[in-house]
Amino acid sequence: MKKDLGVKPYLYPMPVLMIATYGEDGTVDVMNMAWGGICANNMVALNIDEDHKTSENIKKRGAFTLSIADIAHLKESDFFGIASGNKMPDKFQRTGMHAVPSTRVDAPVVEEYPVTLECKAVELQQTAYGFRVLGEIVNVLAEESVLDEKGRVDPTKLNAFVFDQFQSGYYAIGEKVGQAWKSGMDFMK
C-alpha cells in the first residue's frame, strides 16, 4: 500500500551539477546544484535562486560551464553547495582545485572534473516559479580517461555520483543494468 507523503521534490536520481562562472573581477565561483539538466539536444535548464552569486555572474557574463562531479572530488563538490560566493569570495581557492578559461565561452573550466559542458546563456526566465537559466551547449570537454574506444563518455569510468532528495545523500553510480531502446523490445511483439 502506498502512503501519502504530500508535496515533496522527490525524484531520483538527481544530478550533481557543478556550475562554474567568473565574477566581475575574474574570480572563479563554483556552485553545486541538483535542480537542472538537459532540456533539449543542445540545451540545459538550471533552476537557481536569483540571489546566488552564480546567478549574478551568469547575468553579467552570459556564460557558464556545467561539470559532472566525480567521487574523487565529492568533498570539494559538497563544499561548493555549502559555501556561498556572496559571503565567501575565496571558496574556490580554499579547495585547491584549478580552473582554466574556456576557449569558447566567458567562464572557467574546472580541471579536476572529468566532463564539462561549455554553455552560453541564451535566456534568463523570471517566473512565479523562480529563476531559470537556459543555456546552449556550445561544446563538451572530456578527459580521455573517461572515454571508451569509440570516443564516447563511458559512465563506468566517470565515477559520478547523484543526489538523493529523500535523505540528502550522495550515491555512486556506474553499473550498467540495461540498454536504452532495447531492453523493453520484447513488449513490442
Side-chain angles (χ1 to χ4, degrees), residues 19-22 42 44 57-58 60-67 99-110 116-122 134-141:
I19 308 168
T21 59
Y22 284 125
N42 66 334
V44 295
N57 293 345
I58 291 171
K60 290 181 178 169
R61 299 279 184 147
F64 59 94
T65 59
L66 193 61
S67 296
V100 296
S102 164
T103 60
R104 292 175 175 83
V105 297
D106 188 13
V109 174
V110 179
T116 299
L117 286 67
E118 297 170 291
C119 301
K120 175 175 59 172
V122 294
L134 293 178
E136 178 186 356
I137 303 166
V138 299
N139 189 49
V140 177
L141 300 167

Side-chain angles (χ1 to χ4, degrees), residues 56-77:
E56 177 186 329
N57 293 345
I58 291 171
K59 287 178 186 180
K60 290 181 178 169
R61 299 279 184 147
F64 59 94
T65 59
L66 193 61
S67 296
I68 298 172
D70 62 347
I71 294 169
H73 300 96
L74 188 144
K75 288 181 181 181
E76 294 89 342
S77 301

Side-chain angles (χ1 to χ4, degrees), residues 82-94:
I82 296 168
S84 166
N86 288 322
K87 297 176 183 172
M88 189 182 293
D90 68 337
K91 77 178 195 177
F92 182 73
Q93 290 80 4
R94 287 182 185 214

Side-chain angles (χ1 to χ4, degrees), residues 19 21 43-50 52-64 119-136:
I19 308 168
T21 59
M43 299 290 292
V44 295
L46 310 176
N47 300 302
I48 313 171
D49 285 340
E50 198 165 3
H52 284 296
K53 181 71 173 165
T54 299
S55 300
E56 177 186 329
N57 293 345
I58 291 171
K59 287 178 186 180
K60 290 181 178 169
R61 299 279 184 147
F64 59 94
C119 301
K120 175 175 59 172
V122 294
E123 190 173 334
L124 305 177
Q125 301 173 344
Q126 296 169 321
T127 71
Y129 306 105
F131 181 63
R132 175 173 293 140
V133 175
L134 293 178
E136 178 186 356

